[in-house]
Amino acid sequence: MIRGLVFLVGAAAAAQPYDLLIRGGHVIDPKNKMSALRDVAVKDGKVAEVAAKIDPAQAAKVIDATGHYVTPGLIDIHVHVYASASKPSAYCGELSVFPDGHTFRNGVTTVVDAGTSGWKSFEDFKSRVIDKSRTRVLALLNIVGTGMCGGDIEQNMADMNAGQTAAMVKKYPQTIVGIKTAHFAGPEWVAVERAVEAGKAANVPVMVDFGAFRIERPHEELVLDKLRPGDIYTHMYLGAVPMLDKDNKVRDYLWQARKRGVLFDVGHGAGSFLFWQAVPAMRQGFPPDSISTDLHVSSMNAGMKGQINVMSKFLNMGMTLDDVILRSTWNPAKEIKREELGHLTPGAVADIAILRMLRGPVGFVDINGGRLRGDQLLTSEVTLKDGKVQWDANGLTREDWDKIGGRYGAQGDSAWDATINSTVRSRK
């Protein structure tokens, strides 16, 4: 039986070397090749120690994580969070979501906005969303300067300026981690070529959402010639991807692309994940390098739901939990060249997810309503960013109300009581 998490507050916090201790959980830290019962201590927002046993008396606060999994904070490298009511039916407006309402409840501490802004709009995105979010929001810059605003805007080759795009990346290297091209429908290679040109100039990776699949620019040429090692193809299980041959085997060119270093990302979304692509590929050993959501208004209320749900799909397609965590933490951190994230090495930022595995009949849905039956469902119990609790699904980091003592909280203090009593007396 899974025990609850108990949150204990030390009386002499100032004298103790650790601010927080997570005890007894199964730590999965793929960077450090760790998958074992371990304690994790936190100090000043950083991981201080990971060991088999750490004395709880050394910590001001203790979480008992027995029966749970403790992982680095999850990293979702494909989201759309440049939210605004000013642009209807556009990803650079109403189709995006503000991050904090969707991240921590899924164990996610870092997201990468996938090209919703371009070099012309990035600073507005930064001031209105990135700088105001508790979630760590990084960005891929759209090769279209105006950003992902739909229609003719995204087809405007005159607005695909590699030089200006690279310059904006260099201006904000701590926030912009790559280039994105998406939704281009023409027969030309201009969008991909200018994105790669900008990526080379700024020394960052490129992510490609191929848009319309056309005979003039075949997918095979994209991943075998146009993309560089370390560049990312997202929406890998999209129905239009020529993944399976007539015998339902993964095509040779995809194995060749992976061998030359092209990376493959899930990017589930509302239209880009089908079990009839994913299940055969998984069975043949062609998994994603990174698991991501393509979070936006449509996807979160459909088959995708959230990072934890997408991860659970891969568990039920046969991927081990350790590999699911690898593809949701350390792998994406490497893909975006932010290797200070995605692990629990002492000294690393204390972004931590505490997850629970539920067992029993469950079902998962793809973008066209296909169902996968399974028996494993991950849930997010507690999420910490920079060592501070941001999400607690069941109040498990808190003390039972009847053990706190007294009338705890603002309405139970003596000043509040005096005010209420005075008001009552005056009305008599």
Side-chain angles (χ1 to χ4, degrees):
M1 179 176 178
I2 296 178
R3 293 168 53 190
L5 308 181
V6 182
F7 196 80
L8 305 174
V9 180
Q16 291 156 315
Y18 301 131
D19 300 326
L20 174 69
L21 176 64
I22 302 171
R23 295 183 67 201
H26 184 125
V27 172
I28 302 177
D29 181 5
K31 177 186 185 294
N32 292 303
K33 296 179 172 52
M34 180 178 293
S35 184
L37 293 177
R38 291 290 186 271
D39 294 348
V40 180
V42 173
K43 177 69 174 178
D44 296 331
K46 305 287 186 182
V47 177
E49 184 181 3
V50 180
K53 295 290 183 183
I54 299 175
D55 183 359
Q58 300 295 299
K61 301 175 182 179
V62 179
I63 299 175
D64 181 356
T66 303
H68 295 72
Y69 295 97
V70 180
T71 78
L74 307 180
I75 302 173
D76 185 351
I77 66 166
H78 190 151
V79 303
H80 296 286
V81 293
Y82 185 12
S84 165
S86 64
K87 298 182 178 67
S89 301
Y91 287 99
C92 64
E94 290 183 349
L95 295 184
S96 279
V97 300
F98 289 105
D100 291 346
H102 305 274
T103 51
F104 300 128
R105 64 181 54 237
N106 275 281
V108 174
T109 53
T110 300
V111 296
V112 180
D113 182 89
T116 320
S117 69
W119 71 266
K120 293 178 181 177
S121 55
F122 172 74
E123 290 181 321
D124 177 66
F125 174 36
K126 184 176 185 297
S127 65
R128 290 200 302 104
V129 177
I130 295 175
D131 294 346
K132 295 178 180 178
S133 298
R134 287 181 293 149
T135 308
R136 182 180 296 99
V137 180
L138 306 174
L140 301 171
L141 208 60
N142 202 308
I143 192 58
V144 177
T146 307
M148 196 177 289
C149 295
D152 293 341
I153 291 172
E154 293 182 61
Q155 309 307 315
N156 184 5
M157 291 183 285
D159 197 22
M160 299 176 186
N161 189 310
Q164 293 280 19
T165 301
M168 187 60 70
V169 177
K170 293 176 181 178
K171 184 175 180 180
Y172 296 100
Q174 296 305 309
T175 306
I176 305 175
V177 295
I179 313 296
K180 174 79 179 293
T181 174
H183 306 162
F184 186 67
E188 303 88 352
W189 283 104
V190 172
V192 170
E193 289 173 346
R194 291 188 185 168
V196 172
E197 180 184 349
K200 288 179 179 176
N203 191 31
V204 292
V206 169
M207 177 185 281
V208 174
D209 165 351
F210 209 27
F213 283 65
R214 299 182 61 117
I215 193 171
E216 298 92 341
R217 47 180 179 86
H219 190 259
E220 181 173 350
E221 186 175 350
L222 173 72
V223 296
L224 289 181
D225 180 55
K226 297 296 184 180
L227 296 185
R228 306 162 295 165
D231 286 340
I232 305 160
Y233 180 75
T234 192
H235 303 320
M236 65 180 292
Y237 300 120
L238 177 76
V241 172
M243 173 168 282
L244 305 174
D245 64 18
K246 61 182 177 58
D247 297 317
N248 226 29
K249 301 295 185 183
V250 175
R251 294 179 185 271
D252 288 342
Y253 84 93
L254 292 167
W255 300 105
Q256 295 170 27
R258 171 159 279 172
K259 186 175 181 180
R260 66 181 289 264
V262 172
L263 302 172
F264 291 87
D265 175 64
V266 173
H268 187 300
S272 302
F273 181 88
L274 289 155
F275 286 125
W276 60 258
Q277 289 269 53
V279 172
M282 285 292 297
R283 287 174 177 170
Q284 294 170 56
F286 198 83
D289 294 290
S290 50
I291 296 174
S292 69
T293 63
D294 186 14
L295 171 70
H296 52 77
V297 167
S298 299
S299 65
M300 71 182 189
N301 291 317
M304 188 280 292
K305 298 178 175 63
Q307 179 75 17
I308 290 289
N309 191 271
V310 180
M311 292 164 65
S312 296
K313 287 176 179 177
F314 283 91
L315 276 174
N316 288 279
M317 286 189 285
M319 187 179 287
T320 68
L321 179 58
D322 286 12
D323 278 346
V324 167
I325 301 302
L326 169 66
R327 287 159 171 78
S328 305
T329 57
W330 181 232
N331 273 9
K334 291 189 295 180
E335 289 179 30
I336 60 173
K337 300 183 179 181
R338 292 297 298 266
E339 295 184 13
E340 74 276 16
L341 303 174
H343 55 91
L344 299 176
T345 307
V349 62
D351 286 6
I352 301 171
I354 301 178
L355 308 177
R356 182 178 179 180
M357 181 75 77
L358 302 180
R359 305 278 184 176
V362 288
F364 304 93
V365 181
D366 68 17
I367 59 95
N368 277 349
R371 180 176 64 185
L372 173 74
R373 296 177 184 268
D375 60 3
Q376 300 176 84
L377 179 67
L378 283 171
T379 64
S380 174
E381 290 293 331
V382 177
T383 305
L384 298 96
K385 180 177 177 289
D386 299 318
K388 298 184 183 302
V389 175
Q390 302 291 341
W391 168 255
D392 179 353
N394 293 294
L396 298 176
T397 65
R398 303 299 179 181
E399 181 63 275
D400 291 341
W401 72 270
D402 54 354
K403 295 179 181 177
I404 297 175
R407 297 177 65 184
Y408 56 92
Q411 295 183 5
D413 64 21
S414 57
W416 178 271
D417 289 344
T419 300
I420 293 298
N421 291 335
S422 175
T423 302
V424 171
R425 285 194 299 271
S426 69
R427 291 178 177 175
K428 288 182 177 179

